[in-house]
Amino acid sequence: MRPTERITRRRFLVLASTLTGAVAGLGLVAGCQPAATPAPAQPAAPQSTAAPAAKTKVSELSMILFDNYWTASLNEMLKKYQQEKGVTVTWENPPLAGFYQRQMSLSLAKEKKPDILAFNDTVLSQYASQGMIAPLDDYLKDPNLTGADYNWTEFTDQTRKAASWSKDFSAQGKTYALPIELATWAYFYRSDLIDKPPETWTEFMEIAKQFTKSINPKSPTEYGTAFHAKALPMTYKEWYAWLWAYGGDIFDAKLQPVLNSAQAVKSLEDQYGLAVKFKAVPPDTATYDDAAKTAAFQNGLFPQCLHWTHQYPVYLDATKSPKLAGKVKYAMVPGMPGSDGKVKRFPYAQQWMLGLNPNGERKEDAFKFIAWLTSPKGVLAWAQAGYVGVIRPSVLKDPEMQKKMPDFVVRLAAVAIGRYGPTYIPEYAQIADSELLPALSQVIAGSKSAKAALDGVNEKATAIMKTAGYIK
Amino acid sequence: MPETPTLELTSPRTAPARRRRRLSLDSALPWLLVVPAVLILLVFTIYPIIYNLDLSLRNVTLYNYRAAQQTFVGLGKYLQVLSDQEFWSAVGATFTYTIASVGIGLVIAFALALLFERYEGIRARISPFLLVPLMATPAVIALAWNQLLIADIGVVNYLLRLIGLNPPPWLGTFPWPLISVITIDIWQHVPFMFFVLLAGLTVLPEEPFEAAAIDGASAWQTFRHLTLPLLSPVILVTVIFRGMTAFTSFDVIYILTGGAPGSGTETLNLFLYRKAFKAWNFSEAGAIAVLMVILTGAIAITLISLLNREESL
Amino acid sequence: MTARRRRSPQQRLREAAVWLVAAACVANVFPIYWMFATALKSEADVFAYPPVWVFMPTLDNYRHIFTAAGFFRPLLNSLFIAAVSTTAAVILGTAAAYGMARFKVGGRFLPLWVLSTRMFPPIVIVVPVFLLLSSLHLLDTYPGLIAVYVTVGLPFVIWLMRGFFLEIPAALEEAAWIDGCDRFQAMVKVVLPLTAPGLAVTSVFVFISTWNEFLLASVITGTATKTAPLAAAQFSSEFGIQWGPMMATGVVVLAPMVVAGLLAQPYIVRGLTLGAVKG
C-alpha cells in the first residue's frame, strides 16, 4: 500500500494559493466576456471613411455561395469577368450542408469578407431586419454601377418584392439583393409507365398506390412515389404544393398562424398518408434529401415524384441517369379543383440572390460584379455556358435559348404562377425551420398524427408571432 | 486504478545543495510544468461551462448577439427547455441509446472474452480485425453503414431478402432508426469492451480458480462467485468509459439520420446542436448545456468516487 | 476462468465453437470491407442489384476525389492540424503529467479534475468555443482549430503519461540528482527515454482521436480549414449520391487510422482506458 500523503503546512499554502490564483484567473476570463460583447459596436465608424478608399482600383472580390448545379457555368462567368474587367472574384463554395453555418459565422464575427453574400427569399427578411445585408437602392439608381441596360423593372413584381423588405411589409421596401436563380417544383414521371400526368393530388395518390407492389402485386415498381423528408427545408416546400392546393395556408390575412386548419391537416394526412398508411413510398424516405431522392428515382424505385425543375437535365442525361434516359418527362405539379371546377396548382417558388456584406470594404465594386452577372447580357452568357436556373424574363423569352433549353418555356410560366412563402415575415424562417420541420418529420416517421403535430406547430408559431408583436 | 506505489519526491532535500537553490528555476520546475496545460484546460473547458451559464440566463440569438437587446430572462430559458416535449424525448433517446449500447455490448463482449480467454493463438489472429471498427473514423463509419442500409440496393436488405425476410425500414419509421444507430454503436465498440475485459481476465490470479476446481465448483458457480467479483473493478472501468463514449456520441447519428426528432434518434447532443446551429438560439443551447453538465457531473462524480473506492481496495 | 481439465471430445467441440465465433469476429469488418470494395468499383457496379461481389477494380473514384472533387486540401488540413495539435498536446501534457506524478503538484485533486474535464460531453463546450473563436476572428483558422484540439487532447495525455511516469522507480531520478543533475535534466535525460514507448503510444492515440474528430470541426472550420472527415461526410451532389467517390474519401480518411491503431495494438487497452486498466 502507498504511504499516506503528508500534508505539510508549506504544501497546504502552495495548494491554496494555486487554487486562489486559478479561481481568480477564471473570474478574469469569465468577467471579460460580458464586457467584450458590447465592444464590437464601435468599429461601425470606419465604414464611412472606407468610401474614399474605394476609389483605388479593386482587383479582387470575395463571394460565398454554396456548390450547386450552377457551379460549372458560374466558374466560367467568373473567368469571363476576370478577362473583361480584370477583377478576380474568389468564390468560397461550401456544400449546402455547411453553407448557412459558415455564412452565419462570418456575419456573427462581423468579418469584412466575403464582399458578397448569398441567400434565398426565406431568410432575406431575417437578414435585412438584423442588418446582416446592405440595402442596394442607391447603387441600383446609378447607371455607372449597374450598366446602362440593366432593366431592373423587367423582373416580375413578385421577383422584385422577394428581393426587398420593409418593416411594415409594404410593397415599397428597400431592395437588398439581385436575383440569380428561380427554383420551383415540377412533376417528374416515367413516361414508359404513366400515360398521362395526374391533374390533381387525388389522381397522384391513385397512381402512387397503383405502382406500389405491396398494394398492387403487378406493379412494375416497388413504390409509388417518394418525398423529400430529411428534415431539410425542402420537406415543407414540397408540402406547400399540397397545402395551398387544398386551400390551406401558413398565416391568415391578419398574420395569425393557421397551420392546423382542417384543410392543412387534410393535405398532410393525404400526402404523408402515402407513407404512413399505404407504405407507398420507400421506407427510408424520411432520410431523403435531394441527392438520395434523385438516386432512388434514377434506380427506378418509383415512377413519379416532385422535384426542382432544374433537376430535369440530370434525368434526361444518359450518362448521369442511364436507366432513365428517354423515359422521363415532366409536367406542372398537380393541384386541386377550385370552386369553379378548374384545377388550381401552386408550385412552390423561391429565388436565390446575391447581396452585399454591410461590413465589406468594397461594396461599390462588389455591386458592379453582381449587377454584371444578373444583367441581361450577363444572364444570357451564363445561360449559354449551361446555366438553367434563369429568372430574368428577357432571357427566358429569347427564342434562341428556348430552342436550346426547352425548360425555359415552363420556367417562364413558373415565374408567373409560382407561389412564394410568406417570406416577408422575419419570424417565418424560424417558424418553418425550427417548428414546422421537426413536426413534419414526426408525422412521416409515424410518431405523431398530422393533426397533433400541426396543432403543436400552430401553438408554437402563435407564441412566436405574439412575442414579435404581430398579433395579440 | 492500480498505481505502482512510489516514494514521495515532493521535497528532495536529501542533497544539501537543494536548499540553496530554493528560488531558482529548478524549484519552480514542478509548477512550470503543470501551469500551461492547466491554463489551457481552464480556458477551453471551465470557461465555456461558466459562459453557458451566462448565456442561459439571457436571451441571446445569432441575430441579437451584437446588439444590446440581450435581455436578462432569469430562469426563463430553463423553464422553456424543461417544458419542451422535444427535450424530454431527447433525454429518453439519450438514455435508451446509452443503456442499450452499453448493456448489450457488455454482454456480448463478456461472452467473447470468456470464450477467447484460453485461446491465445486464435485471439492473436482476430485481434487486428476487431481493432478496425474501433480505430475507424466515426464519420466514415456512418457513410459505410449508410451504403449498407440503403433500402433498395443495400447489401443488408439484399441478404435479408435472400433468406426470405422482409427488411424493416432501417432508417425510416420509428423505432428502426434508433435500433440501427444503437446496433452500429455496439458494432463499433464491442471490441473495446472485449479488449479491456480480456486484459482484466488474463491477470486474474490462478489460485482461487484451482481451488474451486478441486472443490468441484460448477462453471456457473465459478463465474458467479469468483470471476465476477474479482473482475468487478475492470467491469466498472469498461462501463464508465463505454458509457461516456455512448453518452457523447454524435457523429454517426448526425450523419445517418440527422437526428430528426421524428425518427426518435435525436439525443441530447443533437438536440443542443439543432438549437444552437439550426435555430441559432444560443441561450436555449446554453440552458441545455448547463442541464447536461449537471447531469453528467452527477454521474461522473458518482462514478469517480466508485473508481476511487476500487482503487483503494 | 473455468475448470482447466476437460475431456478431449468436449474440448474439441469447444474449440470448434471458438473458431466459429472467431470467424464471426472476422466477418465483423464487413462494412469496412464493403467500403473498400465500393471505392474500387465502377459506377455501374456500385448501383448493380443484386450487389456484385466479383468485379473489375478501377481507380477512377480515387482519381475523381483528388482531381475534380478537391479532396486534397481537406486531407492536408487534417494532416497538418492533427500533427501540430498532437505535438503540442503531447509536449504540454507530458510536462504536466510529470509535474503531477513526481512532484504531486495539485495533489490528488488536480489529476481528478483533469479527468473530469474529459467526462463532459464535448457538445457542451461547442457554443461557447464557437462564440469565443468568433469574437477573436479565429473561426476557420488553423490556430483556432489547433488550440481547441490541444485542449481535447490534453487530459488524455496527462492521464496516460502520468501512469507511465508512476511506473518508473523514483530511485532513478534520485540517483541522477545525486550525480548533479537538476530536476529538468533528470526528467529529460533519465525519465523521458524510459517512457519513450509510452510517449509514442500516447501520440498515436491523440493523433487518431484528433483526426477522427467531427463535431467541433463541423462548427469551427470553414472552407479553408475543413478537415477530411467533414469533407467525406459532406461529399454528395445534386446528381444523386456518388457512392463510389464517397467511399473512396472514406477509405482515404480511415486507412491511416487503422494502420496507426494496429501499430499501437499492444497498448490498446491502456490507451483507451486512460491507463485505468493495463493490458
Side-chain angles (χ1 to χ4, degrees):
Chain A
M1 291 285 101
R2 91 189 51 217
T4 49
E5 288 187 38
R6 280 177 304 129
I7 299 190
T8 62
R9 191 191 305 165
R10 183 168 159 267
R11 282 184 55 209
F12 177 78
L13 284 174
V14 168
L15 188 68
S17 53
T18 333
L19 278 174
T20 323
V23 171
L26 199 69
L28 208 66
V29 180
C32 282
Q33 190 50 41
T37 317
Q42 287 158 353
Q47 276 181 9
S48 50
T49 54
K55 288 272 187 289
T56 53
K57 186 112 176 87
V58 166
S59 61
E60 228 188 272
L61 290 169
S62 53
M63 167 172 84
I64 182 166
L65 170 66
F66 61 96
D67 239 341
N68 206 349
Y69 64 101
W70 49 52
T71 300
S73 53
L74 184 53
N75 270 324
E76 271 185 49
M77 293 303 286
L78 299 185
K79 219 178 283 165
K80 195 171 146 89
Y81 196 65
Q82 214 279 330
Q83 283 161 0
E84 276 181 22
K85 316 274 173 180
V87 177
T88 311
V89 180
T90 321
W91 175 16
E92 177 174 349
N93 54 343
L96 182 56
F99 168 70
Y100 275 112
Q101 199 156 308
R102 176 74 183 129
Q103 184 161 280
M104 294 295 201
S105 310
L106 291 166
S107 166
L108 179 70
K110 295 244 171 219
E111 300 286 358
K112 292 183 183 115
K113 282 180 167 186
D115 301 291
I116 299 158
L117 302 171
F119 41 87
N120 62 18
D121 52 307
T122 307
V123 294
L124 181 135
S125 54
Q126 204 173 17
Y127 279 28
S129 64
Q130 302 292 342
M132 290 167 61
I133 42 178
L136 306 179
D137 300 271
D138 292 346
Y139 303 120
L140 263 174
K141 280 181 211 142
D142 185 348
N144 290 327
L145 297 176
T146 58
D149 55 351
Y150 191 71
N151 197 0
W152 171 241
T153 46
E154 178 206 342
F155 289 107
T156 64
D157 286 351
Q158 187 163 247
T159 307
R160 279 178 292 146
K161 208 175 155 188
S164 61
W165 182 74
S166 79
K167 225 180 193 135
D168 52 2
F169 305 157
S170 67
Q172 295 294 315
K174 282 184 184 159
T175 302
Y176 285 90
L178 303 184
I180 54 165
E181 187 227 22
L182 174 89
T184 185
W185 295 77
Y187 167 82
F188 288 87
Y189 66 105
R190 291 272 301 273
S191 56
D192 57 329
L193 301 174
I194 298 171
D195 299 331
K196 193 175 131 316
E199 293 284 314
T200 65
W201 288 119
T202 321
E203 290 170 37
F204 177 90
M205 288 188 282
E206 283 318 307
I207 296 175
K209 288 176 210 164
Q210 187 194 329
F211 282 95
T212 301
K213 247 198 193 113
S214 60
I215 298 173
N216 169 22
K218 275 183 269 170
S219 162
T221 58
E222 197 70 31
Y223 300 102
T225 185
F227 304 124
H228 283 89
K230 181 177 185 167
L232 291 170
M234 283 171 296
T235 306
Y236 57 77
K237 291 169 184 175
E238 189 175 25
W239 174 53
Y240 288 169
W242 295 68
L243 171 74
W244 287 330
Y246 277 66
D249 209 338
I250 300 149
F251 300 101
D252 68 9
K254 288 176 186 158
L255 297 180
Q256 165 66 43
V258 287
L259 281 157
N260 60 344
S261 68
Q263 295 94 326
V265 172
K266 176 82 173 102
S267 71
L268 190 59
E269 275 171 356
D270 278 0
Q271 189 199 352
Y272 282 179
L274 285 175
V276 181
K277 206 160 129 201
F278 295 105
K279 315 269 179 232
V281 302
D284 47 358
T285 204
T287 63
Y288 277 11
D289 55 7
D290 249 350
K293 189 173 177 181
T294 302
F297 191 52
Q298 283 169 331
N299 274 318
L301 199 61
F302 45 84
Q304 56 163 3
C305 65
L306 255 55
H307 217 309
W308 297 107
T309 50
H310 59 242
Q311 203 67 15
Y312 88 97
V314 176
Y315 292 146
L316 299 192
D317 188 324
T319 54
K320 284 171 188 156
S321 312
K323 291 184 190 168
L324 297 188
K327 294 179 192 160
V328 170
K329 287 188 178 163
Y330 59 96
M332 295 290 288
V333 300
M336 284 306 250
S339 48
D340 56 355
K342 271 195 192 157
V343 174
K344 296 235 158 44
R345 305 160 197 269
F346 297 95
Y348 176 83
Q350 68 173 25
Q351 64 197 42
W352 275 91
M353 299 169 270
L354 298 178
L356 302 186
N357 178 354
N359 306 306
E361 285 172 324
R362 297 162 294 201
K363 286 208 274 282
E364 284 192 7
D365 297 279
F367 181 81
K368 269 189 196 165
F369 167 69
I370 59 174
W372 175 83
L373 186 67
T374 56
S375 69
K377 256 192 207 151
V379 178
L380 188 64
W382 196 358
Q384 279 160 349
Y387 178 52
V388 297
V390 174
I391 185 169
R392 197 177 256 281
S394 63
V395 176
L396 289 172
K397 283 180 200 152
D398 186 292
E400 286 290 303
M401 287 314 298
Q402 283 192 350
K403 244 183 257 164
K404 260 175 82 180
M405 310 265 194
D407 165 60
F408 277 21
V409 182
V410 182
R411 187 168 278 275
L412 197 58
V415 170
I417 73 154
R419 180 158 172 185
Y420 286 58
T423 54
Y424 49 89
I425 306 170
E427 285 73 17
Y428 161 69
Q430 190 197 344
I431 292 173
D433 289 337
S434 313
E435 308 303 341
L436 181 55
L437 208 46
L440 292 182
S441 131
Q442 283 176 329
V443 176
I444 201 156
S447 48
K448 254 191 190 173
S449 73
K451 175 91 176 93
L454 290 177
D455 277 345
V457 177
N458 211 61
E459 193 183 312
K460 286 185 174 168
T462 308
I464 291 173
M465 294 300 277
K466 267 186 193 154
T467 314
Y470 297 107
I471 49 173
K472 296 229 166 89
Chain B
M1 257 157 279
E3 286 169 4
T4 327
T6 50
L7 289 172
E8 281 288 331
L9 285 180
T10 328
S11 34
R13 292 191 199 141
T14 34
R18 294 282 138 200
R19 217 165 269 225
R20 269 180 281 130
R21 289 210 258 152
R22 269 179 72 174
L23 290 173
S24 70
L25 198 66
D26 194 41
S27 62
L29 184 74
W31 296 98
L32 289 179
L33 289 175
V34 175
V35 167
V38 169
L39 274 183
I40 293 179
L41 279 176
L42 281 176
V43 171
F44 283 100
T45 61
I46 298 300
Y47 160 71
I49 288 169
I50 291 169
Y51 188 41
N52 270 324
L53 202 63
D54 177 52
L55 278 176
S56 70
L57 299 175
R58 296 164 188 279
N59 186 13
V60 185
T61 67
L62 172 79
Y63 306 105
N64 69 11
Y65 180 69
R66 295 289 172 197
Q69 34 178 308
Q70 305 167 16
T71 42
F72 181 80
V73 295
L75 295 177
K77 286 289 160 193
Y78 291 92
L79 292 177
Q80 191 186 333
V81 169
L82 289 172
S83 62
D84 189 344
Q85 202 194 332
E86 283 171 3
F87 172 75
W88 292 107
S89 113
V91 171
T94 308
F95 279 96
T96 316
Y97 181 90
T98 308
I99 293 170
S101 293
V102 177
I104 300 172
L106 183 67
V107 172
I108 299 175
F110 214 143
L112 287 177
L114 287 172
L115 191 64
F116 285 119
E117 189 216 333
R118 286 195 289 133
Y119 294 88
E120 209 170 325
I122 305 179
R123 213 165 69 206
R125 256 167 255 176
I126 61 162
S127 289
F129 290 95
L130 287 173
L131 206 66
V132 172
L134 200 50
M135 290 296 131
T137 312
V140 173
I141 284 178
L143 300 180
W145 275 92
N146 197 354
Q147 197 210 357
L148 290 181
L149 293 178
I150 320 173
D152 48 336
I153 58 167
V155 181
V156 170
N157 285 1
Y158 165 73
L159 294 175
L160 286 177
R161 288 185 199 117
L162 212 59
I163 54 171
L165 289 175
N166 195 17
W170 293 115
L171 300 173
T173 35
F174 186 80
W176 288 103
L178 190 58
I179 295 176
S180 298
V181 292
I182 291 174
T183 310
I184 296 170
D185 197 58
I186 294 174
W187 169 82
Q188 198 193 354
H189 292 286
V190 156
F192 161 75
M193 301 177 103
F194 167 76
F195 284 124
V196 178
L197 291 171
L198 193 67
L201 276 178
T202 44
V203 296
L204 288 186
E206 296 261 341
E207 299 82 23
F209 291 94
E210 281 163 7
I214 291 166
D215 292 347
S218 74
W220 169 250
Q221 282 171 325
T222 319
F223 174 75
R224 174 72 188 75
H225 296 288
L226 274 179
T227 316
L228 265 188
L230 283 173
L231 206 60
S232 66
V234 175
I235 297 175
L236 189 67
V237 167
T238 318
V239 169
I240 290 174
F241 280 88
R242 188 63 262 281
M244 257 161 54
T245 50
F247 191 84
T248 58
S249 130
F250 176 85
D251 312 2
V252 172
I253 310 177
Y254 180 74
I255 293 169
L256 218 51
T257 72
S263 59
T265 54
E266 190 173 62
T267 59
L268 281 170
N269 290 292
L270 284 112
F271 182 62
L272 195 161
Y273 190 88
R274 174 159 67 90
K275 288 296 178 192
F277 298 108
K278 296 265 157 49
W280 299 102
N281 196 329
F282 298 140
S283 284
E284 215 178 320
I288 303 168
V290 171
L291 292 172
M292 282 179 81
V293 167
I294 294 172
L295 187 68
T296 43
I299 300 175
I301 287 169
T302 322
L303 293 178
I304 286 183
S305 61
L306 271 175
L307 255 184
N308 260 335
R309 219 173 59 203
E310 296 294 347
E311 194 179 356
S312 56
L313 280 178
Chain C
M1 258 184 220
T2 42
R4 295 273 165 189
R5 277 169 282 282
R6 288 273 169 96
R7 272 175 299 127
S8 168
Q10 219 174 337
Q11 219 163 20
R12 245 181 285 150
L13 198 70
R14 189 178 155 138
E15 195 161 327
V18 172
W19 275 109
L20 206 68
V21 179
C25 291
V26 173
N28 201 39
V29 297
F30 177 76
I32 308 285
Y33 159 76
W34 195 251
M35 185 174 68
F36 271 79
T38 307
L40 292 172
K41 282 180 183 174
S42 67
E43 199 168 345
D45 285 338
V46 170
F47 286 103
Y49 189 86
V52 281
W53 302 85
V54 182
F55 56 91
M56 194 61 178
T58 162
L59 287 176
D60 283 352
N61 292 326
Y62 290 98
R63 216 166 288 136
H64 175 78
I65 61 170
F66 284 118
T67 54
F71 191 62
F72 212 63
R73 176 74 191 262
L75 197 63
L76 284 183
N77 281 343
S78 264
L79 263 178
F80 177 72
I81 290 165
V84 175
S85 21
T86 303
T87 313
V90 167
I91 292 173
L92 288 169
T94 305
Y98 187 72
M100 290 182 201
R102 273 299 184 262
F103 308 114
K104 303 287 174 206
V105 176
R108 275 177 76 79
F109 162 76
L110 200 57
L112 282 180
W113 173 71
V114 168
L115 181 66
S116 74
T117 62
R118 218 188 148 75
M119 294 216 163
F120 290 112
I123 188 87
V124 305
I125 67 160
V126 165
V127 172
V129 165
F130 171 77
L131 294 176
L132 178 69
L133 292 183
S134 161
S135 52
L136 298 171
H137 296 273
L138 283 177
L139 285 174
D140 196 24
T141 62
Y142 293 111
L145 199 56
I146 288 168
V148 173
Y149 279 160
V150 168
T151 320
V152 176
L154 267 179
F156 184 83
V157 178
I158 292 176
W159 261 77
L160 217 52
M161 288 313 294
R162 181 174 164 270
F164 283 116
F165 286 132
L166 286 174
E167 273 172 19
I168 292 173
L172 284 173
E173 280 141 290
E174 285 177 334
W177 292 341
I178 289 163
D179 287 350
C181 285
D182 61 26
R183 285 163 160 179
F184 186 72
Q185 287 168 329
M187 176 178 97
V188 173
K189 287 188 182 157
V190 179
V191 186
L192 279 185
L194 286 173
T195 51
L199 214 53
V201 168
T202 307
S203 310
V204 169
F205 279 119
V206 175
F207 190 87
I208 292 176
S209 64
T210 310
W211 178 283
N212 285 350
E213 207 284 329
F214 179 85
L215 169 63
L216 288 158
S218 82
V219 174
I220 58 182
T221 69
T223 320
T225 57
K226 184 190 286 176
T227 58
L230 202 59
Q234 292 179 342
F235 195 93
S236 73
S237 79
E238 85 282 8
F239 303 137
I241 300 176
Q242 298 172 290
W243 285 113
M246 195 180 203
M247 293 297 120
T249 61
V251 170
V252 173
V253 174
L254 172 142
M257 294 311 102
V258 172
V259 172
L262 290 175
L263 291 177
Q265 195 188 342
Y267 291 87
I268 193 93
V269 169
R270 188 164 183 169
L272 294 175
T273 60
L274 294 180
V277 174
K278 306 213 165 68

